[in-house]
Amino acid sequence: MAKKEKKKKLNRRDFIDRGFRVSIGIGLVGIGGVLFKKSKAKEYVWQLDPEKCIQCGRCATSCVMTPSVVKCFHVYDMCGYCDLCGGYFRPEAKNLTTAAENQLCPTSAIVRKFVEEPFFEYDIIEELCNGCGKCVKGCGAFGNGSLQLQVNHRLCVNCNECAIARDCPADAYQRVPMDNPYIFSGYSNEENKS
Amino acid sequence: MKRKLAIIFLLVIISLQIFNSFAIQRFPKPEFESGHTQPPTITPDPRAHALAILDVFVLVAALSVVSWLVIKKRSRKGVFWMSVFAVLYFGFFREGCVCSVGSLQNITLALFNPEYSIPITVIAFFILPLVYTLFFGRTFCAGVCPLGALQDIFALHPMPIKSWLEKVLGIIPFIYLGLAILYAATSTDFVICRYDPFIGFFRLDASFMMFMIGAMLLLIGVFIARPYCRFLCPYGALLNLVSRFSKKHITITPTECIQCRLCEDSCPFGAIEKPVLLKDKEARPIAVRRFLILGIIIPVLVIVGGFVGSQFHENLAIVNPKVRLANELLNNTNYGETEKEAFEITAFNSAGQSKEELFKEAGSIIKQFYYGGWILGGFIGLVFGLTLVSLSVFKYREDYTPNKGTCLSCVRCVDYCPVLPISNDY
Ligand code: SF4
Ligand code: SF4
Ligand code: SF4
Ligand code: SF4
């Protein structure tokens, strides 16, 4: 008798459980379906828009990686190859030599190379750059703006939520498709590839 | 001469104060006579897309293997080695992103923000563990989740805690879940990712604060097994709910419980429920009275919770950067900086959005938080109410069984049961 009652009870419980199970299943499939319809097969990565960036310096400090994976990128195509480079020299530099006290970059990550009179080429040593954006500010203010900050995707671990994005005062960070992951201001990478 | 000219030019520019005027071709691109070629701008490629697809395959494979180990093989050893694998692959190799726990925020954001298009791999990371849980219990927690697996390896000397305390602390994940959904739905922040205590270990790089919190949790985890899973994890809260209705679930005994009590204290997570025998069952009138009281208390809790939540909507909303900016502009507080203009304000001024537009936008976000506050508060009230129910109502139970909600399917208890499985050899 007791056995039978127990059985009945269990059956009722099983029945309710199954009802819930089926509805949860349907719910999951539903959510999946709705999202699937608006999703893209593409993967996304984080990138900053140099036009919005105000070179606040947080790119250097907020990244989850040390040193930051944000680096200065040189868009050579826009560079004037100036002798007096606003991105290389401090504004108060006495003479235009490569002495460290004349350099704007705190880690001496920019190499100045003589090309021909009166032009100089500037290269960034990625390993030294910490993404502080000082040179970018200088170049944007006095030069052509060919130095630009970008997330280096070889180094970026692609956080689900980029730690710099939420600290950036200019709201410059956005998710961009993985197959075109760089944004340069005044220069399109695609056009110049060929 | 040239240098002087250049300096004069520089001074003129400084006096004009043309800052932030980006990408202006002030100096023409030179024509090199020496035949120097301009180097290309380097743009290193991101990690291949294929690897993200591979992650989903590894996830499916790991879930299948662990479920098989838990349900069919009942092998603790196997599950342990799967956790080691999870820590190595999802943790150290893939450096923790994207994980299923965090993906719930992407899902919320995708549901509420039409502009955000979510990658399919992220959907898979959210849905698959839930589906497996619906069939086999929380096998994802047993040996696939890198956060859980890391803590599991540190659970060396677990001590039991009072079951009422366990239940009360078990409310926190639901509050966390509600908050995470609120902040993700309003496109404010991904709090789960921001306060992920273990990601720093996987990347071997974190702020000192988060590193300390992570280390503390692991240290506590030596004695109170898996503290993040039991008392914080918001995805675990979802799995908990789903797992209650799972089709199959790990059982302690392979066949029939003989009430030997050997497994009683074997669960490091306090997930084993003792038998509640018929003679403990209370008289019907008392049960009915309690049922009525709870029937009144729960709706009251929901309404009170909702009201309290809505009262705090401004405190909740201030975390949103737009609301914060509007607030600072309105009160002229300049983000507490005295020396110079705060970066946020500089950026706002140079971006060209008018203050009115910003205030309007912030206003609508605050309104979202008002409704969100009602829902969040009501939800928390409901969770409190249901916890009260589970603390006061006893379900009839004959055998020692794992609580399907909180059991992490780790298979530890199985080894304590002396009953032998029915062998197929006979
Ligand atoms: S945090 Fe934003 S504004 Fe600051 S340097 Fe980085 S991109 Fe520019
Ligand atoms: S996604 Fe992560 S690693 Fe990449 S830039 Fe942002 S914080 Fe740094
Ligand atoms: S409870 Fe959360 S953190 Fe713990 S194993 Fe499960 S999903 Fe992972
Ligand atoms: S399988 Fe479940 S009940 Fe058994 S010890 Fe593990 S968590 Fe506890």
Side-chain angles (χ1 to χ4, degrees):
Chain A
M1 185 61 198
K3 198 98 190 167
K4 208 171 160 196
E5 197 172 288
K6 186 185 142 198
K7 206 157 202 163
K8 211 165 111 197
K9 218 168 190 161
L10 268 183
N11 277 340
R12 199 174 66 204
R13 193 88 151 261
D14 280 351
F15 183 72
I16 296 173
D17 273 11
R18 188 180 318 138
F20 270 106
R21 184 157 61 238
V22 170
S23 19
I24 292 175
I26 291 172
L28 282 178
V29 170
I31 292 180
V34 168
L35 290 173
F36 189 79
K37 260 174 85 181
K38 64 170 291 194
S39 87
K40 298 255 162 64
K42 273 184 192 161
E43 294 293 312
Y44 285 79
V45 290
W46 291 94
Q47 192 51 276
L48 70 96
D49 182 351
E51 301 211 12
K52 286 189 184 163
C53 171
I54 60 162
Q55 294 90 41
C56 68
R58 288 187 198 161
C59 270
T61 51
S62 291
C63 182
V64 299
M65 307 301 277
T66 354
S68 171
V69 307
V70 176
K71 303 288 175 197
C72 173
F73 279 58
H74 196 178
V75 184
Y76 294 98
D77 207 39
M78 293 168 63
C79 183
Y81 287 79
C82 325
D83 180 6
L84 180 70
C85 171
Y88 186 80
F89 293 110
R90 286 166 183 269
E92 68 273 14
K94 299 232 170 49
N95 39 32
L96 302 188
T97 66
T98 55
E101 73 265 20
N102 293 332
Q103 291 183 25
L104 196 55
C105 179
T107 61
S108 300
I110 308 181
V111 184
R112 173 177 153 99
K113 257 190 343 221
F114 176 72
V115 178
E116 64 184 47
E117 199 55 50
F119 300 128
F120 287 83
E121 188 168 274
Y122 299 91
D123 296 317
I124 318 282
I125 307 173
E126 183 194 291
E127 289 73 28
L128 292 179
C129 174
N130 64 8
C132 71
K134 292 203 168 84
C135 59
V136 178
K137 195 169 199 128
C139 179
F142 306 128
N144 285 357
S146 62
L147 296 178
Q148 303 185 5
L149 286 179
Q150 287 285 281
V151 173
N152 184 326
H153 287 297
R154 190 166 44 74
L155 304 172
C156 176
V157 294
N158 198 11
C159 311
N160 192 24
E161 195 198 35
C162 173
I164 315 175
R166 61 180 177 232
D167 282 354
C168 173
D171 203 10
Y173 276 76
Q174 49 192 265
R175 292 181 176 89
V176 298
M178 203 179 237
D179 45 20
N180 192 10
Y182 292 92
I183 313 171
F184 293 111
S185 164
Y187 167 81
S188 154
N189 200 29
E190 292 299 302
E191 277 168 33
N192 292 277
K193 245 181 189 159
S194 49
Chain B
M1 188 59 204
K2 204 172 270 149
R3 184 159 303 169
K4 244 193 198 135
L5 266 178
I7 290 178
I8 289 171
F9 186 74
L10 204 123
L11 284 174
V12 169
I13 295 209
I14 294 178
S15 60
L16 283 177
Q17 289 275 326
I18 312 179
F19 285 99
N20 249 321
S21 42
F22 224 85
I24 294 172
Q25 199 79 18
R26 296 201 181 87
F27 309 103
K29 199 176 139 188
E31 308 269 328
F32 297 117
E33 279 148 23
S34 59
H36 175 75
T37 46
Q38 163 202 310
T41 300
I42 48 133
T43 50
D45 282 331
R47 205 176 61 96
H49 173 71
L51 216 51
I53 305 286
L54 175 71
D55 284 351
V56 176
F57 278 108
V58 175
L59 177 73
V60 173
L63 278 170
S64 307
V65 171
V66 173
S67 300
W68 175 71
L69 285 170
V70 169
I71 305 287
K72 274 264 140 64
K73 297 292 280 186
R74 301 164 61 80
S75 152
R76 170 67 200 150
K77 221 184 193 160
V79 172
F80 173 78
W81 286 111
M82 283 309 287
S83 351
V84 173
F85 169 76
V87 168
L88 291 180
Y89 183 82
F90 291 112
F92 287 106
F93 174 60
R94 293 289 293 107
E95 299 184 312
C97 271
V98 57
C99 76
S100 300
V101 185
S103 74
L104 89 91
Q105 302 163 112
N106 303 57
I107 299 290
T108 316
L109 183 62
L111 288 175
F112 283 87
N113 185 342
E115 280 159 41
Y116 173 65
S117 78
I118 182 172
I120 286 173
T121 47
V122 178
I123 304 179
F125 262 79
F126 177 74
I127 299 270
L128 286 173
L130 286 169
V131 171
Y132 270 82
T133 301
L134 195 56
F135 283 98
F136 307 114
R138 294 170 71 173
T139 49
F140 173 74
C141 297
V144 185
C145 173
L147 306 178
L150 181 68
Q151 296 172 78
D152 203 76
I153 292 168
F154 275 80
L156 299 170
H157 194 85
M159 297 195 298
I161 59 174
K162 290 264 178 301
S163 78
W164 63 267
L165 186 65
E166 173 101 32
K167 284 226 163 83
V168 171
L169 289 177
I171 296 176
I172 303 172
F174 290 93
I175 300 178
Y176 198 2
L177 175 68
L179 270 176
I181 288 179
L182 178 63
Y183 280 131
T186 52
S187 313
T188 298
D189 198 355
F190 279 11
V191 277
I192 302 173
C193 296
R194 179 185 288 221
Y195 299 112
D196 181 339
F198 302 120
I199 190 92
F201 290 102
F202 294 142
R203 293 181 179 144
L204 304 171
D205 200 337
S207 70
F208 184 68
M209 220 9 222
M210 282 325 289
F211 214 74
M212 285 315 287
I213 294 177
M216 280 289 287
L217 272 177
L218 286 184
L219 206 67
I220 295 172
V222 173
F223 303 105
I224 297 174
R226 290 215 198 182
Y228 185 82
C229 295
R230 284 152 81 197
F231 309 128
L232 283 166
C233 179
Y235 192 64
L238 279 181
L239 293 174
N240 177 328
L241 295 180
V242 172
S243 176
R244 288 169 197 224
F245 308 106
S246 59
K247 194 168 166 64
K248 289 212 169 82
H249 194 281
I250 178 100
T251 52
I252 303 172
T253 166
T255 48
E256 212 144 301
C257 180
I258 53 167
Q259 320 281 331
C260 67
R261 303 182 58 190
L262 283 174
C263 66
E264 199 173 50
D265 296 320
S266 66
C267 180
F269 318 114
I272 294 179
E273 286 179 338
K274 298 188 178 71
V276 180
L277 292 176
L278 269 174
K279 63 173 187 293
D280 298 344
K281 243 183 151 182
E282 50 199 347
R284 209 178 159 81
I286 307 179
V288 169
R289 176 142 23 102
R290 179 168 36 238
F291 183 74
L292 285 178
I293 292 175
L294 286 172
I296 296 167
I297 284 183
I298 293 178
V300 169
L301 275 175
V302 170
I303 292 169
V304 170
F307 179 73
V308 173
S310 70
Q311 291 307 298
F312 279 102
H313 75 281
E314 283 179 353
N315 306 50
L316 290 168
I318 201 73
V319 179
N320 186 293
K322 290 236 166 68
V323 176
R324 175 93 194 270
L325 176 62
N327 190 41
E328 301 279 345
L329 283 172
L330 210 57
N331 303 329
N332 257 324
T333 34
N334 197 27
Y335 286 81
E337 294 221 29
T338 44
E339 275 119 61
K340 55 179 174 18
E341 191 181 49
F343 289 127
E344 280 80 357
I345 294 178
T346 315
F348 174 71
N349 290 336
S350 72
Q353 193 191 25
S354 78
K355 275 194 189 179
E356 284 66 40
E357 276 168 357
L358 175 75
F359 290 157
K360 226 169 112 196
E361 207 177 324
S364 78
I365 295 174
I366 292 177
K367 197 169 225 164
Q368 290 172 0
F369 270 96
Y370 177 74
Y371 297 126
W374 267 104
I375 297 171
L376 174 66
F379 173 69
I380 293 174
L382 183 67
V383 173
F384 268 97
L386 292 180
T387 307
L388 215 61
V389 173
S390 76
L391 278 174
S392 57
V393 173
F394 297 98
K395 266 195 220 139
Y396 167 76
R397 200 180 306 111
E398 212 166 46
D399 305 333
Y400 283 89
T401 43
N403 178 319
K404 280 171 107 183
T406 52
C407 167
L408 300 172
S409 295
C410 72
V411 204
R412 281 192 179 87
C413 51
V414 167
D415 294 341
Y416 288 79
C417 185
V419 178
L420 289 175
I422 306 166
S423 173
N424 297 333
D425 297 349
Y426 297 109

